Amino acid sequence: TQLLEQSPQFLSIQEGENLTVYCNSSSVFSSLQWYRQEPGEGPVLLVTVVTGGEVKKLKRLTFQFGDARKDSSLHITAAQPGDTGLYLCAGATSGGSYIPTFGRGTSLIVHP
Amino acid sequence: ETGVTQTPRHLVMGMTNKKSLKCEQHLGHNAMYWYKQSAKKPLELMFVYNFKEQTENNSVPSRFSPECPNSSHLFLHLHTLQPEDSALYLCASSNGGNTEAFFGQGTRLTVV
């Protein structure tokens, strides 16, 4: 079973559109990370959220951690072709090990 | 540049060959990881080392043999691999107690 479920699995949009991707679990997380991975490269850390209800912004990207710390969302405003990539969420459950466990990711393509 | 360097970037090997993947981190982290990323599959954790000691072996076949001579270096020795072992092999590091992982660029392995 996958600890972290990400949706949608694939997303293909036009430049300028907005989008939201989701990361859900039945478990409570002590912290959750979002990464972006470009083809043939390793994932790059974007943000960490720790507090339930926390919202963090990174330019056009807005990250939210659910109040119960079981889910998170990533919203991109006015997507650009440079946003294309695989978006991965990862985390560790409360009281568990600190080994990062990853979801399957959302593959985003932004067409010019 | 994430501070984690993997070599080689690409590797093609026959099923009878022996090769090694190398990972080096300059971040002062005490935990290092090997992940396997295959097409259409989530990142699969293979091995975890904390302070040079292996703390996790995620049921990986013995044809994959890790080595961690010190906290900054991690190797993955490969021998008698199968074509289904072709994948992107990613190394990552983190501080113990923190799930923020920093990845290398990966080694694209093709077994022929």
Side-chain angles (χ1 to χ4, degrees):
Chain A
T1 57
Q2 190 65 30
L3 191 61
L4 285 162
E5 298 289 342
Q6 289 191 245
S7 61
Q9 191 174 352
F10 301 100
L11 197 51
S12 179
I13 62 173
Q14 292 297 126
E15 182 176 2
E17 292 184 28
N18 301 332
L19 67 119
T20 302
V21 298
Y22 301 92
C23 177
N24 296 293
S25 175
S26 57
S27 302
V28 175
F29 288 92
S30 54
S31 71
L32 191 141
Q33 286 78 39
W34 283 94
Y35 296 80
R36 181 170 70 217
Q37 183 180 19
E38 297 185 11
E41 303 289 331
V44 175
L45 179 66
L46 296 174
V47 77
T48 293
V49 286
V50 177
T51 307
E54 182 177 5
V55 176
K56 283 193 173 179
K57 292 194 173 185
L58 188 66
K59 296 183 181 178
R60 294 175 293 99
L61 278 60
T62 302
F63 305 86
Q64 185 160 7
F65 203 13
D67 291 340
R69 291 186 290 137
K70 292 183 178 182
D71 55 85
S72 181
S73 64
L74 159 58
H75 181 80
I76 301 179
T77 304
Q80 299 177 0
D83 296 326
T84 294
L86 180 68
Y87 288 82
L88 295 159
C89 66
T93 55
S94 302
S97 72
Y98 289 97
I99 300 171
T101 301
F102 286 82
R104 288 181 179 270
T106 293
S107 181
L108 171 66
I109 298 176
V110 182
H111 300 280
Chain B
E1 177 59 50
T2 62
V4 180
T5 304
Q6 286 187 245
T7 54
R9 290 293 311 277
H10 301 274
L11 179 62
V12 179
M13 59 185 289
M15 289 189 282
T16 59
N17 291 160
K18 288 186 181 181
K19 296 286 184 184
S20 296
L21 310 185
K22 179 182 176 183
C23 177
E24 186 174 357
Q25 58 99 358
H26 305 281
L27 301 170
H29 291 163
N30 51 33
M32 296 188 76
Y33 313 84
W34 279 117
Y35 285 88
K36 175 184 177 183
Q37 189 175 36
S38 305
K40 301 181 180 179
K41 286 188 175 182
L43 278 167
E44 299 173 57
L45 179 68
M46 300 176 72
F47 301 104
V48 180
Y49 278 82
N50 270 296
F51 294 102
K52 304 188 302 177
E53 298 297 322
Q54 187 180 131
T55 58
E56 192 92 8
N57 177 339
N58 210 23
S59 302
V60 180
S62 60
R63 56 186 184 269
F64 294 91
S65 174
E67 179 190 1
C68 190
N70 54 62
S71 294
S72 298
H73 294 85
L74 185 65
F75 295 89
L76 187 62
H77 303 300
L78 316 171
H79 64 99
T80 60
L81 295 192
Q82 304 298 311
E84 60 265 29
D85 296 322
S86 298
L88 182 67
Y89 288 84
L90 291 160
C91 171
S93 70
S94 71
N95 271 327
N98 186 334
T99 53
E100 291 184 340
F102 291 82
F103 284 83
Q105 293 176 300
T107 295
R108 172 64 64 185
L109 173 68
T110 303
V111 182
V112 297

